[in-house]
């Protein structure tokens, strides 16, 4: 069975930096991958809450 | 009074200078001598402004001699995290990359405010690279060390600020706090720290990290000194676009009101999980001192931490996009790997995180309709060893870097004002920090409670060992 998570993150690391204009050297790859895995876990947690389409982003209390 | 018996308190120094029992020059020379002796060991300062500081001290003494009012912080030495602009000095922000930049053309707004109140800048302080750090470790300039145990981390990213105050080099230092970078070093170094409401103090003239989450604030050995510094820094400033237009509301005059009549709650749920026994005992001791028995749950605190985490990665990466393209290998690896990952996050993740932020802010406002103060741990454990990668929690090894800010992030994400107080837990050598959290714009309440805790002995600054300069600092 294919480990889709690894495949997706590998694709992500291969393609994303090209678009962003930098490269991830082989020695940096594992650490960047780990950070992306943490980000995915954080996103999964964020997705446990449902927000209305009409909700506005916010940054300050007094806006 | 002579410089040999210089008090550790900013308030006492200012009082002595104003009454001419001590000159500003003597006070500054004492601080400079102490910095020279201690910094080799602590590595808190990256730049010392000896000439400028002594010239300003002499000018202040001359003003006093002429009968002029020198201000409430007369002659008080202070220092700033090296992301604050200092005229003529390169704003490093903890990086090697910025070292090739020209010196700043003027001082940051809050430095000008403090100096207008009579305080005198002694230098710039070490920090984690570009403030993306909770440890105080820095691959380029070395780790700032915890004065209470130099084998342990100072906490970060305002590590030099925590270490300098804890070691008695200056009674007040400024830091910045995006996800906990004032509160963590205050907790680890056994001192007090204030992160004001988002938009309360101007950040103009500071090197940003995550503008939508960045705050600046003071660290000190007492709540009175925090309040004196905070009051001096208040002011309207068009150069920070998120600065509140609310008129300044000084807090020092209200400190003596204490916590009487305030509805104080202990954060439950998320804030009782993921912390070791000592961190929870510290909260319990503070709750007991305040007779706070009721708990309150911040339901979505874990999601708030996740959202803060994602916004930090992406916004930090956006800030450094050009440097990622051109100077990738000049970053600290611990920093650049997170920034590189942050540059790859889909935009809709970040928009959702910002949408959740408004949702969460509303939740917090509703919570603060039912209480005035919430107590929570500042960190999940005391300061770990420098370089330590994991700490043990309930028999499980937890990554240090990823978890130090687990309790501070959900609070700053809502922009709430917080005072971190240092607590001695029996059987534990190192201090623990407890967050005293208030509703937006109610710094006064958090400081009143912290002041009460200090007065009753439940929270006091720790004293660094004598090894650094041949004698402990005065005070507690």
């Amino acid at each position: 069975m294919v480990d889709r998570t690894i495949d997706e993150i590998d694709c992500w690391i291969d393609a994303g930096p090209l678009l962003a204009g930098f490269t991830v050297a082989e020695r940096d790859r594992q650490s960047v991958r780990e950070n992306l895995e943490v980000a995915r876990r954080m996103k999964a947690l964020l997705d446990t809450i449902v927000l209305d389409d009409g909700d506005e982003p916010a940054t300050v209390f007094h806006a | 009074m002579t410089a040999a018996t210089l008090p550790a308190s900013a308030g006492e120094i200012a009082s002595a200078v104003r009454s001419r029992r001590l000159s500003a020059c003597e006070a500054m020379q004492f601080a400079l001598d102490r910095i020279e002796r201690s910094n080799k060991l602590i590595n808190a300062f990256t730049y010392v402004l000896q000439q400028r500081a002594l010239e300003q001290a002499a000018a202040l003494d001359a003003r006093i001699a002429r009968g002029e009012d020198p201000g409430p912080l007369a002659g008080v030495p202070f220092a700033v995290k090296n992301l604050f602009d200092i005229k003529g000095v390169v704003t490093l922000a903890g990086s090697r990359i910025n070292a090739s930049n020209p010196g700043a053309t003027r001082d940051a707004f809050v430095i000008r405010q403090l100096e207008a109140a009579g305080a005198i800048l002694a230098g710039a302080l070490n920090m984690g690279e570009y403030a993306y750090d909770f440890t105080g470790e820095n691959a380029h300039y070395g780790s700032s060390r915890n004065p209470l145990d130099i084998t342990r981390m100072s906490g970060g990213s305002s590590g030099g600020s925590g270490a300098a105050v804890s070691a008695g080099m200056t009674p007040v230092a400024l830091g910045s706090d995006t996800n906990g970078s004032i509160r963590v070093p205050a907790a680890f170094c056994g001192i007090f720290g204030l992160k004001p409401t988002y938009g309360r103090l101007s950040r103009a003239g500071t090197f940003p990290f995550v503008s939508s989450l960045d705050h600046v604030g003071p660290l000190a050995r007492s709540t009175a000194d925090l309040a004196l510094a905070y009051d001096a820094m208040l002011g309207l400033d068009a150069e920070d676009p998120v600065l509140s237009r609310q008129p300044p509301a000084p807090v020092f005059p209200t400190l003596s009101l204490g916590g009487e009549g305030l509805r104080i709650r202990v954060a439950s749920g998320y804030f009782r999980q993921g912390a070791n026994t000592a961190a929870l005992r510290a909260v319990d001791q503070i709750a007991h001192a305040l007779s706070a028995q009721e708990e309150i749950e911040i339901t979505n605190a874990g999601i708030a931490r996740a959202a803060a985490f994602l916004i930090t990665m992406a916004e930090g990466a956006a800030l450094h996009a050009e440097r990622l393209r051109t100077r990738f290998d000049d970053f600290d690896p611990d920093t650049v790997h997170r920034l590189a990952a942050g540059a790859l996050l889909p935009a809709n993740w970040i928009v959702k995180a910002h949408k959740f932020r408004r949702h969460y802010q509303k939740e917090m406002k509703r919570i603060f309709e039912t209480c005035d103060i919430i107590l929570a741990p500042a960190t999940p454990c005391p300061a770990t060893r420098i370089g330590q990668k994991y700490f043990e929690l309930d028999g499980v090894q937890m990554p240090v870097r990823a978890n130090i800010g687990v309790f501070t992030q959900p609070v700053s994400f809502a922009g709430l004002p917080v005072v971190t107080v240092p607590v001695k837990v029996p059987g534990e050598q190192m201090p623990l920090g407890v967050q005293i959290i208030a509703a937006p714009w109610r710094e006064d309440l958090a400081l009143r409670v912290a002041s009460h805790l200090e007065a009753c002995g439940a929270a006091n600054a720790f004293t660094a060992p004598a090894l650094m300069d041949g004698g402990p600092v005065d005070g507690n």
Side-chain angles (χ1 to χ4, degrees):
Chain A
M1 183 176 175
V2 176
D3 184 337
R4 289 185 56 81
T5 302
I6 298 301
D7 278 352
E8 286 166 9
I9 290 186
D10 275 337
C11 292
W12 205 355
I13 297 175
D14 288 338
L18 289 175
L19 295 170
F22 63 89
T23 55
V24 176
E26 198 54 39
R27 68 175 182 279
D28 300 314
R29 192 176 181 91
Q30 180 59 28
S31 180
V32 174
R33 179 203 303 274
E34 288 168 4
N35 279 288
L36 285 171
E37 286 170 353
V38 173
R40 284 167 61 115
R41 287 202 296 274
M42 294 295 170
K43 171 59 166 50
L45 191 54
L46 182 60
D47 280 344
T48 60
I49 192 158
V50 177
L51 300 174
D52 293 337
D53 286 345
D55 282 345
E56 288 293 322
T59 55
V60 295
F61 278 108
H62 57 282
Chain B
M1 183 181 295
T2 68
T5 59
L6 188 78
S9 150
E12 289 170 357
I13 292 172
S15 174
V17 169
R18 289 169 63 87
S19 63
R20 303 178 74 166
R21 287 177 287 128
L22 177 74
S23 74
C25 285
E26 286 175 316
M28 180 51 70
Q29 191 59 59
F30 181 90
L32 292 171
D33 290 347
R34 192 157 203 149
I35 292 165
E36 185 176 1
R37 285 197 304 273
S38 304
N39 202 49
K40 295 182 187 76
L41 202 57
I42 304 301
N43 198 30
F45 276 78
T46 53
Y47 197 93
V48 179
L49 294 160
Q50 178 150 337
Q51 185 178 349
R52 165 177 158 159
L54 289 174
E55 285 174 0
Q56 290 198 358
L60 193 107
D61 285 333
R63 286 178 56 198
I64 294 171
R66 291 195 298 270
E68 297 176 21
D69 182 353
L73 289 169
V76 173
F78 74 103
V80 297
K81 185 176 186 174
N82 69 27
L83 58 65
F84 289 81
D85 284 351
I86 300 171
K87 186 177 180 181
V89 177
V90 175
T91 307
L92 293 174
S95 73
R96 182 166 68 192
I97 294 171
N98 282 26
S100 54
N101 290 350
T105 55
R106 67 170 178 164
D107 295 337
F109 177 83
V110 288
I111 293 176
R112 302 200 303 273
Q113 292 288 96
L114 284 171
E115 291 196 332
I120 299 173
L121 183 61
L125 297 163
N126 203 357
M127 59 177 282
E129 188 184 47
Y130 289 127
Y132 207 167
D133 168 59
F134 282 127
T135 66
E137 297 172 359
N138 185 301
H140 313 301
Y141 303 101
S143 301
S144 48
R145 295 177 176 276
N146 193 316
L148 303 175
D149 177 349
I150 60 168
T151 68
R152 294 179 188 265
M153 59 178 62
S154 60
S157 64
S158 309
S161 308
V165 172
S166 179
M169 297 176 179
T170 58
V172 175
L174 300 189
S176 66
D177 189 316
T178 303
N179 286 300
S181 286
I182 288 173
R183 292 163 285 162
V184 169
F188 279 5
C189 292
I191 57 173
F192 295 83
L194 168 63
K195 185 206 76 64
T197 308
Y198 181 75
R200 180 73 274 190
L201 293 179
S202 172
R203 307 161 308 168
T206 65
F207 196 90
F209 172 25
V210 179
S211 183
S212 73
L213 291 168
D214 288 343
H215 310 66
V216 298
L219 299 91
R221 295 185 60 80
S222 70
T223 49
D225 285 359
L226 285 185
L228 282 169
Y230 171 78
D231 285 354
M233 288 189 282
L234 287 169
L236 302 178
D237 177 22
E239 292 185 31
D240 183 346
V242 305
L243 189 68
S244 166
R245 291 187 176 84
Q246 295 188 25
V251 295
F252 186 79
T254 70
L255 282 185
S256 60
L257 296 176
E260 193 69 30
L262 297 180
R263 299 165 297 172
I264 301 173
R265 305 287 183 263
V266 180
S268 61
Y270 175 88
F271 289 95
R272 302 296 290 187
Q273 299 155 4
N276 75 3
T277 307
L280 296 178
R281 284 187 68 186
V283 176
D284 294 342
Q285 285 176 215
I286 292 301
H288 179 74
L290 295 167
S291 301
Q293 295 169 340
E294 291 188 44
E295 293 189 339
I296 196 160
E297 182 159 6
I298 302 172
T299 314
N300 289 321
I303 300 175
R305 190 232 172 180
F309 196 100
L310 293 171
I311 291 171
T312 299
M313 283 181 85
E315 215 176 304
L319 176 74
H320 292 289
E322 180 61 21
R323 283 175 280 273
L324 284 172
R325 284 191 281 271
T326 60
R327 305 288 298 269
F328 195 101
D329 291 334
D330 291 330
F331 282 90
D332 179 337
D334 276 329
T335 310
V336 78
H337 295 157
R338 284 178 289 169
L339 292 175
L344 309 184
L345 301 187
N348 67 326
W349 294 18
I350 309 311
V351 172
K352 178 160 187 184
H354 276 298
K355 281 188 172 186
F356 172 71
R357 193 178 188 193
R358 184 180 292 281
H359 178 88
Y360 183 67
Q361 284 171 338
K362 287 178 183 170
E363 282 186 351
M364 293 308 303
K365 281 186 174 179
R366 279 196 292 274
I367 285 174
F368 276 108
E369 288 170 2
T370 67
C371 67
D372 300 300
I373 293 289
I374 299 174
L375 308 175
T379 61
C381 59
T384 56
R385 305 280 176 197
I386 292 171
Q388 184 175 331
K389 300 299 182 191
Y390 295 89
F391 74 101
E392 189 173 309
L393 180 68
D394 297 333
V396 177
Q397 293 294 310
M398 306 284 283
V400 169
R401 276 183 181 267
N403 286 286
I404 294 177
V406 69
F407 297 130
T408 50
Q409 283 183 283
V411 180
S412 38
F413 185 64
L416 303 170
V418 192
V419 175
T420 297
V421 300
V423 180
K424 170 70 180 166
V425 172
E428 177 62 54
Q429 177 206 346
M430 298 299 288
L432 276 303
V434 173
Q435 296 185 89
I436 314 292
I437 307 161
W441 317 113
R442 297 312 306 265
E443 285 82 358
D444 59 328
L445 298 186
L447 283 161
R448 274 171 50 185
V449 170
S451 181
H452 170 74
L453 290 166
E454 198 180 359
C456 73
N460 291 109
F462 279 53
T463 299
L467 60 93
M468 284 171 293
D469 64 353
V473 294
D474 295 347
N476 297 302

